[in-house]
Amino acid sequence: MGINLRGRSFLKLLDYTPQEIRYLLDLAGTFKNMKRAGTPHKYLEGKNIVLLFEKTSTRTRCSFEVAGMDLGLGVTYLDPGSSQMGKKESLPDTARVLGRMYDGIEYRGFSQQTVEDLAAYSGVPVWNGLTDQFHPTQMLADLMTIEEKLGRLKGVKFTFMGDARNNVANSLMVACAKMGLHFTACAPESLFPEAWLVEECRKLAEASGGSVTLTEDVEAGTRGADVIYTDIWVSMGEPDEVWETRIRLLKKYQVNRRVMEYAGPQAIFLHCLPSFHDTKTTIGAEIAEKFGIPEMEVTDEVFESPQSVVFDEAENRMHTIKAVIYATLK
């Protein structure tokens, strides 16, 4: 029997089977080929979606807007000041209003419970563009990029370096466990993922042929890895005071030439972006002046190297998000 995701929300990968994830990746590949060939695919003309953003974004917003327009959708963007949700109007009331007007709702913000509640009350598919706990649309782009570059997912040795309990690391562990990759979180023990999620992912990995490993040892965690992945050390919404503590904890987990040599020449480097690999950003310049660190989670040498596929990864956000929209609204 074929995969049918019509009417489903996309809130976290824990809700999706490996077969359903595979379907979305294959669909994204089809849309990518159509986009590059210039083949029109306005399959959802007459439908409308709304994008609710409590956190700003470049890739997520642009991916949803371009994907929506390519599919023929009407797209409305609401920034934090453009909605009464949680201020003058309760979340359930907002969800029910939007569900009467739109065919789908994207949410990017803080609480995972918010996106779950939007799905519960709106009556239409809701897509998680990022919460503090999970970032599922990013995962599809990451899996797509790995498969494009390495030719496979199953058996790939994947290492995440940095804050291994943030939304990206949580979601990567789930994605790898679902799809048969060998996931390693290389981080200080104080920044390991939550125990309940590790336990759940180890069960999933046992079924898929993958594995989940936690280590503080940089060499052991990266030796022979096929994929090295990192994220910014302080996530959006965290206070500035966190920087000093996080830099002290994570400086040894920077992705640099030594790490890539441990992994080997076959390894690729991924990053969900934005990245502090130089001092050309306001925050990058401020941190360099205050702490004497011109490069943070990854060095500019690695970021700009042939092993870095971060811009292919960024493009794939659009194709995979298009697949999610189409599959749930068709």
Side-chain angles (χ1 to χ4, degrees), residues 247-295:
I247 288 170
R248 177 172 48 80
L249 278 171
L250 293 176
K251 192 173 180 180
K252 68 179 280 190
Y253 297 95
Q254 180 190 67
V255 178
N256 49 37
R257 177 189 288 180
R258 176 174 57 92
V259 165
M260 297 307 292
E261 286 175 350
Y262 287 152
Q266 85 294 339
I268 58 174
F269 170 72
L270 276 73
H271 192 307
C272 56
L273 303 181
S275 169
F276 297 124
H277 58 97
D278 54 28
T279 58
K280 296 176 183 176
T281 62
T282 303
I283 292 177
E286 289 174 355
I287 295 300
E289 182 177 353
K290 190 172 182 179
F291 299 105
I293 301 176
E295 304 160 308

Side-chain angles (χ1 to χ4, degrees), residues 129-178:
L130 175 143
T131 65
D132 290 345
Q133 193 172 18
F134 293 111
H135 196 2
T137 59
Q138 178 68 51
M139 297 309 101
L140 292 180
D142 296 340
L143 291 171
M144 184 178 188
T145 307
I146 292 167
E147 193 164 45
E148 286 178 341
K149 301 303 177 182
L150 301 182
R152 69 195 192 285
L153 290 177
K154 276 193 177 295
V156 164
K157 295 178 68 176
F158 184 107
T159 297
F160 177 87
M161 299 190 69
D163 181 356
R165 11 135 265 186
N166 73 10
N167 50 13
V168 170
N170 285 344
S171 299
L172 285 168
M173 184 166 61
V174 174
C176 289
K178 289 266 186 179

Side-chain angles (χ1 to χ4, degrees), residues 3 17 33 40 62 74 108 141 158 164 198 235 248 259 306 317:
I3 301 293
T17 67
N33 290 336
C62 293
R108 179 182 173 92
F158 184 107
V198 174
S235 297
R248 177 172 48 80
V259 165
R317 291 295 307 285

Side-chain angles (χ1 to χ4, degrees), residues 47-218:
K47 294 182 182 291
N48 297 278
I49 63 173
V50 61
L51 313 180
L52 291 176
F53 276 66
E54 291 185 332
K55 286 185 178 181
T56 56
S57 166
T58 299
R59 280 150 297 280
T60 302
R61 178 181 176 179
C62 293
S63 294
F64 269 99
E65 289 198 348
V66 174
M69 288 184 283
D70 281 354
L71 289 168
L73 292 161
V75 181
T76 300
Y77 172 77
L78 294 178
D79 63 28
S82 300
S83 167
Q84 299 296 342
M85 187 175 75
K87 300 168 191 168
K88 294 182 179 179
E89 185 170 59
S90 70
L91 188 152
D93 288 359
T94 299
R96 286 178 288 187
V97 168
L98 294 177
R100 295 293 183 99
M101 298 181 180
Y102 293 95
D103 299 286
I105 300 169
E106 182 273 349
Y107 171 81
R108 179 182 173 92
F110 296 92
S111 171
Q112 178 69 20
Q113 191 59 53
T114 298
V115 77
E116 300 275 353
D117 287 345
L118 282 169
Y121 287 101
S122 66
V124 298
V126 173
W127 311 298
N128 182 357
L130 175 143
T131 65
D132 290 345
Q133 193 172 18
F134 293 111
H135 196 2
T137 59
Q138 178 68 51
M139 297 309 101
L140 292 180
D142 296 340
L143 291 171
M144 184 178 188
T145 307
I146 292 167
E147 193 164 45
E148 286 178 341
K149 301 303 177 182
L150 301 182
R152 69 195 192 285
L153 290 177
K154 276 193 177 295
V156 164
K157 295 178 68 176
F158 184 107
T159 297
F160 177 87
M161 299 190 69
D163 181 356
R165 11 135 265 186
N166 73 10
N167 50 13
V168 170
N170 285 344
S171 299
L172 285 168
M173 184 166 61
V174 174
C176 289
K178 289 266 186 179
M179 303 306 287
L181 288 77
H182 298 291
F183 175 86
T184 296
C186 189
E189 187 174 358
S190 62
L191 298 181
F192 279 176
E194 292 184 71
W196 74 267
L197 187 58
V198 174
E199 182 180 356
E200 179 69 19
C201 287
R202 282 181 168 152
K203 291 176 185 175
L204 293 168
E206 186 176 354
S208 71
S211 62
V212 172
T213 302
L214 311 180
T215 183
E216 293 187 284
D217 188 316
V218 172

